Amino acid sequence: MKKVLGIILTLVGIAATAITGMQAADDSESFSIFGADVVVSQANYTPLIISVVILVLGVILWSGSKK
């Protein structure tokens, strides 16, 4: 049971991390001042952090389960 739950959480975590990571990258703007690139981020990183936590939890459950 732990193995199946770990696989599901891992897959959901991968998908959610990819989606929220792309959204965070899209919410960032960059511009150049005197040859230096300045990045201004207005992204909300909370969903990305939650997605990574779910991914890590899934990997832990998956790897910790007995065969």
Side-chain angles (χ1 to χ4, degrees):
M1 181 69 181
K2 282 173 61 173
K3 183 176 182 177
V4 174
L5 183 61
I7 292 171
I8 291 170
L9 285 177
T10 301
L11 293 175
V12 169
I14 289 171
T17 301
I19 292 169
T20 56
M22 285 187 287
Q23 287 175 347
D26 287 342
D27 291 341
S28 299
E29 297 180 20
S30 64
F31 55 92
S32 181
I33 296 180
F34 303 116
D37 287 332
V38 178
V39 178
V40 179
S41 178
Q42 298 175 351
N44 183 8
Y45 288 104
T46 305
L48 182 61
I49 293 169
I50 292 171
S51 300
V52 171
V53 168
I54 290 172
L55 174 63
V56 170
L57 183 63
V59 170
I60 290 171
L61 283 175
W62 190 3
S63 65
S65 64
K66 293 182 180 180
K67 293 183 179 181

